[in-house]
Amino acid sequence: MASLEDIGVSALINLIGAFAFLLAFAFLRLQPVNDRVYFPKWYINGARSSPRHRGNFVGKFVNLNFATYLTFLNWMPQAMKMKESEIIEHAGLDSAVFLRIYILGLKIFGPITIVALLILVPVNVSGGTLFFLSKELVVSNIDKLSISNIQPKSLKFFAHISMMYLFTSWICYMLYKEYDMVASMRLKFLASKSRRAEQFTVLARNVPHVSGRSVSDSVDSFFKKNHPDHYLSHQVVYNANKFGRLVRRRHRLQNWLDYNQLKYERNPEKRPTMKTGFLGLWGKKVDSVEYYKQQIKEFDERLTMERQKVLKDPKCIMPAAFVSFNTRWGAAVCAQTHQSKNPTLWLTKWAPEPRDVYWKNLAIPFVSLSIRKLVISLLLFALVFFYLIPIAFVQSLANLEGLERVAPFLRPVVELSFIKSFLQGFLPGFALKFFLYILPSVLMVMSKIEGHVAFSVLERRTAAKYYYFMLVNVFLGSIVAGTAFEQLDSFLHQSPTEIPRTIGVSIPMKATFFITYIMVDGWAGIAAEILRLKPLVIYHLKNMFIVKTERDREKAMDPGSVDFPETIPSLQLYFLMGIVYAVITPILLPFILVFFAFAYFVYRHQIINVYNQQYESAAAFWPHVHTRIIASLLISQLLLLGLLGTKKAANSTPLLVALPILTLTFHKYCKNRFEPAFREYPLEEAMEKDTQDKASESEINLKAFLADAYLHPIFRSFEEVELVEVRVEKSPPDTPSQLASEPVSPSRSRSRSRSPSPSPPHHLDQEEQEESVTVQHYEVGPPANVYHYGYEHHENIFHYNMDQYNETQHNVENYNMDHSYYRY
């Protein structure tokens, strides 16, 4: 068991590690060669350009302005300058509410820490029980600050019960205020948003098969009949997963062609060549440009055949469709009501926003979803218990004294002062962090197998699995396994009737292990987050070996996003540890406070400068955060109830029985009061927004607005002019008034109204664009200019918003189209 000296060694190691990470970050962020790694958000918004375009050769890689090194810590005050409203505009409501979780932790644990240290610690120290049990149990000087030091049947337990009531009341009060605030922010955010496709669209699944009718005809007929006044249009869902894999391979070929063309442009005297064998090591030597042109031509023919197969094969059309309505009110009524007397057919729910759709899972038959969820539940159950093995190993490292009593031959090694402090103070927390490293990725794969159709839902389900895993393994598993290893000698030599007393005394003493975990994960781990060592290394490796064009460099930048599946469950674990040990071992609370404060600074900086969220759910995750903090309260109350039972406090224990009941009543009230704002869209709000639209934009063509919002990616992947007839009508603005009215992509419009990029600032480089009317292919990407694109197939015309990209050789032009943003 870790002693005060071991905790000091761990704190020193982690503080040195955290400071080293921060120092490295402060130095690396100033180097021009790393600018895209530490400020990618501003590049995406168009508010920053690379500093490597200016200066001498050395200045392209190293910052030669030595004055900037004197202010290497200015990132912390810069991170605090942006107001919450500006963060919402800059990064979205999800990011702003995520930061509020850290503020909530500070608001909850700040007062609790002060009260617990001033009242409960003196009460615990005065107990003196562990002095008499030190010969029977493994104890340390830190354990004398816990409730385990109170003698059985003592009246001092009334102090702990009173504090539990006080802490519960304070936590519930703060939760109520925060739930109210977040619900209001969500409704205000939704009301302030401009017209969005998901406000008018519903996802209909399990469309019944009707003999002689296609899925499209069935959807059209059903909604015209049951929603005649509000139904507008629909888009059926295709199973085009194989086609998508082919498109990605085609993009890789195009990248190689672009690379060789640029290489030839730089050195026209020498044509680039390659060998056609494995990895270009052997085989026939050919002209690289002509080789990749021929490869792309053959691949385009294959892609066209595959696409025609998908469009014509009824088996590739899934019994699902995105159904659009002419009003928000009509969409809300459809999404929030049953559509059929058979509750298993015509299942409707709000469509995710276009960026949020996980297209692969739309191809999963609805009937298989229940089976998939059952199988994944069984696998999760097995995985949780499989991980008890490494958890037990970690606890064996944390409790060397217990092992020494059973295996004395280990004593000469572990009794060395530094080795013992390292093994007990640092290694357990590090080992636990290591075993948990790959777990979120595994759980994400399991969530995808379950069949969820939105990235936001996938991340929330993964977060739920990770939380249950952390609760069972990291918290309860560490307590049970740790207690068993600590008191192994006692268990083997005492009567069964004494085991409950031993467990009751030992559980509070596990706080020492969680303190080491907090320092490893919450101090050094958070400092490593801001350093971004992994993205930094990957970015430079890609620049060296993979990046061939400027487009590749932008892809290599990879800003990432807030990792909700991992960070939110970890946050909830910190809430759990703080709430549980606030009464029984208050010495843990200052370490929790340091974590919340430090993590708030770091994630605020990352959200402003680095992360680029893939989707916006308008804080849909908050009910889960609230519920799991309530669960932490219930666990702490039940744990204290059982602990007092082992202490034979029969007079005081019944006073705690009412507390879980009151907590559950509070949770039910909050659920009924606030959760509907996160589950449903109020019809009153929908009607009000529709009325405002009619008054301000009465001439809007809503059908054209929604026409391409939920087009399957099969229509957006590539086009070959030799195989499919393509028309491009370019309508550039001729007058300043037309230019003013031209639609602007969301990312660019936001960047014009936001605060400038953090120092060092850079000016945007202007790029010239060339016109062309011949299109060979295009790729998915962020929009800049808007084009009217017509694709003729089966007598239908599909309209696309297109963007122009720089013209390349041989009359080829790339067009970027964003599947995330649409012209509204």
Side-chain angles (χ1 to χ4, degrees):
M1 179 183 296
S3 64
L4 185 61
E5 181 184 355
D6 300 332
I7 296 297
V9 171
S10 178
L12 180 62
I13 294 174
N14 285 286
L15 285 174
I16 292 175
F19 182 76
F21 287 143
L22 292 177
L23 196 62
F25 162 73
F27 174 80
L28 292 173
R29 69 187 284 267
L30 296 176
Q31 310 310 314
V33 72
N34 300 325
D35 204 60
R36 290 181 181 270
V37 178
Y38 292 109
F39 300 99
K41 179 72 172 177
W42 299 101
Y43 280 90
I44 293 172
N45 287 351
R48 192 181 185 92
S49 63
S50 176
R52 301 187 68 191
H53 296 324
R54 296 177 299 277
N56 54 34
F57 178 77
V58 177
K60 294 179 183 294
F61 300 92
V62 180
N63 184 2
L64 300 178
N65 183 4
F66 296 102
T68 59
Y69 293 97
L70 301 178
T71 58
F72 66 94
L73 290 179
N74 65 349
W75 67 269
M76 299 186 73
Q78 285 179 355
M80 299 303 297
K81 287 181 180 179
M82 188 174 285
K83 298 179 182 178
E84 186 176 65
S85 59
E86 295 174 336
I87 290 178
I88 294 175
E89 182 186 1
H90 176 71
L93 184 63
D94 283 343
S95 298
V97 172
F98 172 73
L99 291 176
R100 291 189 68 91
I101 303 177
Y102 293 96
I103 296 296
L104 178 64
L106 292 173
K107 290 179 179 178
I108 286 177
F109 291 113
I112 287 179
T113 300
I114 295 173
V115 173
L117 294 180
L118 291 179
I119 297 177
L120 291 181
V121 169
V123 171
N124 293 337
V125 171
S126 64
T129 299
L130 294 181
F131 177 79
F132 300 101
L133 295 177
S134 58
K135 295 182 179 180
E136 302 177 26
L137 305 176
V138 178
V139 298
S140 70
N141 44 13
I142 293 182
D143 300 326
K144 297 176 183 178
L145 306 178
S146 72
I147 196 174
S148 298
N149 202 35
I150 304 296
Q151 296 181 3
K153 301 181 181 181
S154 174
L155 294 178
K156 294 180 180 180
F157 290 122
F158 282 104
H160 298 84
I161 294 174
S162 300
M163 289 299 102
M164 178 58 79
Y165 269 94
L166 179 63
F167 295 165
T168 299
S169 301
W170 173 248
I171 293 171
C172 289
Y173 172 70
M174 294 308 303
L175 284 176
Y176 179 86
K177 287 188 62 178
E178 198 65 23
Y179 213 152
D180 188 21
M181 175 62 70
V182 174
S184 300
M185 291 172 64
R186 174 181 169 86
L187 292 175
K188 182 179 178 181
F189 179 78
L190 293 175
S192 64
K193 290 173 68 175
S194 58
R195 185 182 290 106
R196 306 279 290 185
E198 65 270 17
Q199 298 171 347
F200 299 87
T201 308
V202 168
L203 175 61
R205 304 190 73 179
N206 218 24
V207 176
H209 173 70
V210 179
S211 180
R213 301 180 68 177
S214 66
V215 172
S216 180
D217 291 338
S218 296
V219 171
D220 191 65
S221 175
F222 180 84
F223 284 97
K224 280 183 177 178
K225 177 182 177 181
N226 295 284
H227 298 269
D229 298 328
H230 300 284
Y231 169 68
L232 189 63
S233 62
H234 71 276
Q235 174 65 52
V236 295
V237 175
Y238 295 91
N239 182 359
N241 292 342
K242 180 180 178 181
F243 182 84
R245 291 192 292 269
L246 294 177
V247 168
R248 288 191 290 271
R249 291 176 59 187
R250 201 264 189 197
H251 287 169
R252 289 195 290 269
L253 290 174
Q254 182 64 42
N255 284 341
W256 279 110
L257 175 60
D258 293 344
Y259 167 71
N260 283 282
Q261 285 179 332
L262 290 174
K263 186 177 180 180
Y264 177 62
E265 288 177 1
R266 292 167 183 166
N267 187 12
E269 298 178 358
K270 183 180 180 181
R271 297 279 296 185
T273 59
M274 61 171 291
K275 294 181 179 180
T276 58
F278 179 72
L279 295 178
L281 299 177
W282 60 74
K284 183 180 178 181
K285 193 173 185 179
V286 297
D287 184 284
S288 299
V289 174
E290 296 301 326
Y291 174 79
Y292 282 112
K293 282 184 179 180
Q294 183 63 29
Q295 289 287 312
I296 289 175
K297 182 179 179 180
E298 295 174 0
F299 213 85
D300 285 347
E301 294 176 356
R302 182 181 175 187
L303 279 170
T304 302
M305 293 175 61
E306 180 64 27
R307 182 172 59 181
Q308 296 299 323
K309 177 183 176 182
V310 171
L311 292 172
K312 294 178 180 179
D313 188 356
K315 295 181 180 179
C316 292
I317 301 177
M318 306 306 298
F322 291 99
V323 183
S324 299
F325 296 82
N326 56 15
T327 62
R328 296 175 181 84
W329 189 90
V333 169
C334 180
Q336 296 164 191
T337 57
H338 289 291
Q339 304 303 310
S340 173
K341 58 185 177 182
N342 185 343
T344 63
L345 300 177
W346 295 105
L347 303 178
T348 57
K349 63 178 182 180
W350 282 108
E353 67 164 325
R355 293 180 300 170
D356 197 14
V357 177
Y358 186 64
W359 291 96
K360 289 184 178 180
N361 279 1
L362 283 172
I364 298 175
F366 185 82
V367 293
S368 68
L369 294 181
S370 298
I371 299 175
R372 286 168 172 262
K373 291 178 181 178
L374 176 62
V375 172
I376 292 300
S377 298
L378 296 176
L379 289 176
L380 180 63
F381 181 82
L383 182 65
V384 167
F385 282 92
F386 168 78
Y387 256 80
L388 284 176
I389 298 174
I391 294 297
F393 169 73
V394 170
Q395 289 305 318
S396 70
L397 297 176
N399 304 290
L400 298 179
E401 290 90 343
L403 288 178
E404 285 181 15
R405 293 187 178 184
V406 178
F409 60 88
L410 296 175
R411 188 169 297 167
V413 177
V414 300
E415 280 300 320
L416 297 175
S417 179
F418 178 77
I419 292 179
K420 184 175 182 179
S421 297
F422 177 79
L423 290 178
Q424 292 193 324
F426 175 76
L427 191 59
F430 177 80
L432 181 58
K433 183 69 176 176
F434 173 79
F435 283 121
L436 296 178
Y437 180 74
I438 64 170
L439 188 62
S441 299
V442 174
L443 297 178
M444 174 58 80
V445 172
M446 296 172 70
S447 296
K448 289 180 178 179
I449 295 174
E450 283 183 322
H452 303 292
V453 298
F455 286 105
S456 57
V457 179
L458 282 171
E459 293 198 345
R460 289 199 295 273
R461 294 307 305 160
T462 303
K465 293 180 179 66
Y466 195 38
Y467 171 75
Y468 298 140
F469 182 91
M470 301 272 278
L471 174 63
V472 173
N473 277 299
V474 177
F475 187 74
L476 298 178
S478 295
I479 288 177
V480 174
T483 301
F485 276 105
E486 279 179 3
Q487 314 306 340
L488 187 59
D489 186 64
S490 298
F491 288 159
L492 295 176
H493 296 91
Q494 66 184 187
S495 64
T497 58
E498 293 296 318
I499 291 179
R501 186 205 66 162
T502 302
I503 293 176
V505 172
S506 302
I507 286 176
M509 297 189 293
K510 285 307 302 170
T512 54
F513 167 75
F514 290 118
I515 288 174
T516 63
Y517 178 76
I518 291 169
M519 288 188 290
V520 171
D521 181 69
W523 295 7
I526 293 298
E529 170 65 28
I530 200 171
L531 179 59
R532 303 197 77 216
L533 185 59
K534 180 180 175 181
L536 177 69
V537 173
I538 292 176
Y539 173 76
H540 287 299
L541 287 176
K542 286 183 176 180
N543 262 338
M544 292 173 60
F545 301 108
I546 298 177
V547 170
K548 299 175 285 294
T549 64
E550 189 65 25
R551 184 170 63 249
D552 291 341
R553 183 169 289 106
E554 292 177 0
K555 292 179 180 179
M557 191 165 56
D558 188 22
S561 59
V562 178
D563 191 5
F564 289 125
E566 183 175 1
T567 54
I568 290 184
S570 298
L571 268 171
Q572 291 158 350
L573 177 65
Y574 283 100
F575 276 103
L576 176 64
M577 290 188 293
I579 293 172
V580 167
Y581 281 98
V583 172
I584 60 179
T585 312
I587 195 62
L588 179 139
L589 293 175
F591 298 90
I592 293 279
L593 272 181
V594 172
F595 160 75
F596 277 111
F598 183 40
Y600 175 71
F601 277 105
V602 168
Y603 277 106
R604 210 174 200 277
H605 173 275
Q606 300 296 82
I607 285 172
I608 292 173
N609 297 302
V610 179
Y611 297 145
N612 184 47
Q613 289 303 113
Q614 184 179 13
Y615 61 84
E616 176 60 59
S617 70
F621 56 83
W622 185 260
H624 302 283
V625 175
H626 174 90
T627 299
R628 287 162 196 161
I629 295 177
I630 292 292
S632 300
L633 269 176
L634 293 172
I635 292 172
S636 68
Q637 294 159 5
L638 295 176
L639 183 60
L640 182 61
L641 191 64
L643 192 60
L644 293 180
T646 64
K647 290 286 190 175
K648 301 178 182 179
N651 294 330
S652 55
T653 301
L655 297 176
L656 272 177
V657 174
L659 197 53
I661 299 174
L662 294 174
T663 304
L664 287 173
T665 303
F666 166 77
H667 174 58
K668 185 177 180 180
Y669 171 77
C670 288
K671 187 180 180 69
N672 295 332
R673 171 65 178 83
F674 300 115
E675 194 165 323
F678 294 84
R679 297 287 179 261
E680 300 171 347
Y681 189 49
L683 294 180
E684 178 186 20
E685 187 75 18
M687 181 61 74
E688 183 178 347
K689 289 286 290 181
D690 289 334
T691 304
Q692 291 175 2
D693 279 358
K694 290 179 181 179
S696 60
E697 299 178 88
S698 57
E699 301 299 326
I700 185 70
N701 186 348
L702 195 58
K703 191 168 186 177
F705 167 73
L706 296 171
D708 62 348
Y710 287 95
L711 277 176
H712 197 282
I714 188 175
F715 296 114
R716 297 179 176 156
S717 300
F718 90 110
E719 288 296 338
E720 172 60 57
V721 70
E722 297 179 4
L723 303 174
V724 181
E725 181 181 356
V726 175
R727 296 191 312 233
V728 179
E729 302 171 10
K730 295 184 60 177
S731 302
D734 298 323
T735 65
S737 61
Q738 291 175 340
L739 183 62
S741 62
E742 181 184 358
V744 181
S745 69
S747 62
R748 292 184 181 272
S749 64
R750 286 196 300 264
S751 66
R752 294 175 183 175
S753 61
R754 290 177 184 158
S755 304
S757 167
S759 60
H762 308 292
H763 298 289
L764 286 173
D765 295 329
Q766 301 297 326
E767 298 181 358
E768 296 182 356
Q769 295 182 336
E770 302 180 11
E771 298 185 357
S772 174
V773 295
T774 304
V775 180
Q776 185 177 24
H777 76 279
Y778 62 88
E779 297 182 82
V780 175
N785 300 322
V786 178
Y787 296 85
H788 187 79
Y789 173 84
Y791 162 55
E792 295 185 356
H793 178 74
H794 294 292
E795 299 180 356
N796 294 326
I797 295 179
F798 300 89
H799 297 283
Y800 293 73
N801 290 335
M802 304 294 300
D803 303 304
Q804 187 179 23
Y805 193 77
N806 293 333
E807 183 178 357
T808 59
Q809 292 183 343
H810 304 283
N811 207 20
V812 177
E813 186 171 10
N814 293 326
Y815 281 79
N816 291 339
M817 183 179 62
D818 188 5
H819 61 287
S820 303
Y821 300 105
Y822 301 90
R823 180 180 177 181
Y824 295 161

